[in-house]
Structures are given as C-alpha cells and as structure tokens.
Amino acid sequence: MEPAENNHPEEQKTLPRVVILATGGTIAGAAESGTEAGYTSGKMGVDAMIDAVPGLTALADVRGEQVASVGSQDISFAIMIRLAGRINELFAAGEADGIVVTHGTDTMEETAHFLNLTVKSQKPAVMTGAMRPSTAISADGPLNLYNAVAVAADPKAEGRGVLVVMNDRIHGAHSLTKNNTTSVETFLSPVNGLIGTVIYGKTAYFRGPFRKHTHLSEFSVEGVSSLPRVDVIYACADMPADLVECSVARGARGIVIAGDGNGNMNAATIEAAAGMAAQGIVIVRSSRVPSGTVSRNIEVDDDRLGFIASDELNPAKARILLMLALLKKRSPAEIQALYYSY
Ligand code: GLU
C-alpha cells in the first residue's frame, strides 16, 4: 500500500533548527526542596532541561549540546572562546538557524558582550538563564528557555547581535546589566533600552542595537587561546593608589577603573594611572554607577593623561572589549574609537 498523502500541509512545515548550548547556571540548578534558597548551579543536563519545557519542540527542531556545567561565576575566557567557536562552526556549517546559550546570570552580560564581538553571523544567537533553580516553586527557567527558543527561531531576530531573553524581555548584549541579586526581573538595559519583548513565544521588536556587533565586528577568536590580562579596579573614597601598580606588576596590560560618578578616581590614583599610561598600559575610565555614559575630559583631562573613556560600557564589558583590542597593537586614539563603535 502507498503511504497515505498528508492532507495537512501545515504539519509538514519544516521547523527552524535551534541548537541549545548549555553551560550550567541556575537554570540547571537544583536545591533540596522547592523553597530552599541554597542550591547548586549546573546540576541538570541539557536534555533534561529541554524535556522540562512543554511545547518547545513545536517551536523548533531543538537539540542540545553541553558545553560546560558551571555557575557563571566560574565562566572562564577559555569557555567563552569555546562557545564563540562552536556557534561560528554551527552557523558556518548551516547546521542551525538559531542558537540558544543557557548560562548563569551572574556573568551573563560578559559572555553576551564577548559573543556579540566574536560571533560571525547575522543569525540569532540568544542567551537565557534563570534566577530560580529548576527545583524551585515557580521556577523561571522553563518559560525563559521557551521564549529564548522562540526568539532564536524567529527570522526577525536576525541582524540584531547577541540577544538575552529573560523574564519576557529581549535585551541587547551591549546594554544589559544584572541589577538585582535575587529577583526574576534582574536584567535592565538602562543606557539604550530594550530590543523587544517575548510573551509566551510571541515576539515584538522596538529597535535594533545601535553599535557594531557580530558580522560587522573586527574581532575574532580564530586562533586565539588566551587573552591579555586586564584588571578592573573599583574606585571608592580614599582608595589606595598602589592597586594600579599591583595590577601592572602582576602582568596587566590594561586597567579599567570602575570610577565613581562620571569615571572619577582620587588624585593619587589619577597620578598612579597616568604614570602607567605613559609606559603604555591602557587605562580606561568606566563607572561603578549602573546607568549613564562616561565621557572624555569632564573632570579628568584624558587628553593630557592619555586615558580612554568607556562611553556606554560598564566596567566588566569595558574590560572584555579591551582584552580583545589588545590582541593587536593599537594607539590610544584607536582604542578610544573602539569604545565609540562597539
Ligand atoms: N551564581 C549563579 C550563576 O550565575 C547564580 C545566578 C543565576 O544563574 O541566576 O550561575
């Protein structure tokens, strides 16, 4: 007997192929009970995570790969480089229409920014995570994963750089930052605003990212196995200036100051940092303030002292841009230009 014809063409529609690259984090975390605050990150494997989301396979042809199993406080540049390499490989081989990376929220913004600078495709690469472990009452992971797959499967997400989907919001990698230690509404994009929303898989976009990213980025992880050391020094009242010297003595080629206000630091630290800048150490002024930009020559004479202003990037992201920038010889003016472009 001939096989029966399918009279429901919509059932034959090919689903977009979405690969989920899991790295651990609270989304895969497990606690002793549903109300236990203490838990261990990265306990659940990617297949169990996929199985825990009803309706996921109706959105996309989904498969998972375990790239790492760590809380994101333990995400290393080795893992970030591996992730970027795998995403580039999957897209270049035409094996995925979209990719979701599951990740802890602590350093999500850093990996998102790193991937935004090193993924070489316009196809959607979307990160997600959870604030509550998989065993918690009202765990947020399954809906976040559902929404992330919906965005990764959505052609309208293409060309918007690396996106982060959490709690119904679509953030751009450039702008998002973790803002609350426990709330499910932890991510904000305070400088440039949200890219869009995704409600039970239904997407809406308000804007594209404004800065260069992914296929337009000049940075690459091709042949890169490690990155130059760049330290972040947190500015505070009466801070000791010798932190700058300690960093350089330990091998830092650049220092990001998480400055107070508009990237400020006390006079002693300015003097120590200027001494280092004169020796070719790159000094970037960012801010410990969660919102706003850091501009050149406001209270600090960057032109005279040879400092760089981080513009829109917070200290953690300013550090990542500088680490990638230092893979090549660049003048301070060229490095400053990068902070205005990315
Ligand atoms: N420390 C955990 C992590 O980043 C907690 C944050 C989370 O995943 O929500 O993996």
Side-chain angles (χ1 to χ4, degrees):
M1 202 170 94
E2 293 288 318
E5 288 223 349
N6 190 325
N7 295 320
H8 303 282
E10 67 281 3
E11 283 173 16
Q12 283 190 330
K13 219 175 79 191
T14 326
L15 287 171
R17 294 154 308 153
V18 172
V19 178
I20 300 180
L21 303 178
T23 67
T26 299
I27 191 167
E32 291 298 311
S33 77
T35 50
E36 171 70 49
Y39 65 94
T40 313
S41 275
K43 277 278 187 213
M44 202 187 207
V46 63
D47 293 332
M49 228 158 53
I50 292 171
D51 290 345
V53 186
L56 201 61
T57 49
L59 284 179
D61 174 3
V62 176
R63 71 175 180 85
E65 290 179 19
Q66 198 77 43
V67 175
S69 294
V70 294
S72 70
Q73 58 271 44
D74 287 319
I75 287 282
S76 59
F77 285 103
I79 297 175
M80 288 192 209
I81 290 169
R82 198 156 79 224
L83 257 182
R86 186 63 187 136
I87 294 171
N88 285 332
E89 208 169 73
L90 286 164
F91 281 145
E95 288 177 32
D97 299 306
I99 290 175
V100 170
V101 175
T102 59
H103 196 286
T105 57
D106 286 358
T107 61
M108 178 102 77
E109 62 205 81
E110 286 165 76
T111 302
H113 183 57
F114 183 86
L115 295 177
N116 204 36
L117 297 173
T118 55
V119 164
K120 300 285 168 206
S121 174
Q122 299 207 50
K123 292 204 180 295
V126 181
M127 297 185 70
T128 194
M131 289 301 285
R132 298 179 181 146
S134 62
T135 46
I137 294 178
S138 300
D140 53 332
L143 184 53
N144 283 342
L145 186 55
Y146 183 87
N147 281 335
V149 168
V151 174
D154 182 5
K156 291 199 289 301
E158 286 188 15
R160 296 181 192 271
V162 171
L163 301 171
V164 174
V165 168
M166 286 280 293
N167 208 32
D168 299 351
R169 317 279 196 247
I170 307 172
H171 298 268
H174 178 85
S175 299
L176 97 147
T177 187
K178 187 170 181 176
N179 188 63
N180 189 289
T181 53
T182 55
S183 166
V184 293
E185 180 67 342
T186 188
F187 284 111
L188 297 178
S189 289
V191 178
N192 262 331
L194 285 178
I195 301 291
T197 56
V198 50
I199 316 289
Y200 296 108
K202 192 170 178 308
T203 55
Y205 301 91
F206 314 144
R207 58 167 66 77
F210 303 102
R211 299 300 180 101
K212 275 160 82 175
H213 58 75
T214 56
H215 63 291
L216 300 172
S217 166
E218 64 205 83
F219 302 106
S220 164
V221 289
E222 193 91 19
V224 174
S225 55
S226 63
L227 294 166
R229 175 167 167 166
V230 173
D231 290 350
V232 175
I233 296 178
Y234 191 94
C236 44
D238 208 10
M239 68 189 287
D242 60 4
L243 290 174
V244 171
E245 280 119 28
C246 294
S247 269
V248 176
R250 300 298 296 188
R253 291 185 41 213
I255 294 172
V256 175
I257 306 286
D260 24 274
N262 201 340
N264 287 318
M265 62 203 101
N266 62 9
T269 305
I270 288 184
E271 196 187 320
M276 291 304 161
Q279 293 174 39
I281 305 296
V282 181
I283 306 290
V284 176
R285 295 188 305 106
S286 180
S287 179
R288 67 184 204 187
V289 177
S291 173
T293 56
V294 172
S295 316
R296 286 186 71 79
N297 304 320
I298 304 298
E299 287 186 77
V300 178
D301 190 344
D302 295 305
D303 290 348
R304 185 174 63 80
L305 300 166
F307 296 167
I308 312 290
S310 75
D311 197 42
E312 291 187 356
L313 293 182
N314 70 19
K317 293 186 199 178
R319 171 174 176 252
I320 284 172
L321 180 56
L322 187 54
M323 290 170 103
L324 288 167
L326 288 173
L327 287 170
K328 195 178 133 183
K329 195 166 165 40
R330 296 171 204 263
S331 69
E334 285 167 333
I335 295 175
Q336 181 63 73
L338 294 175
Y339 283 92
Y340 292 137
S341 318
Y342 289 94

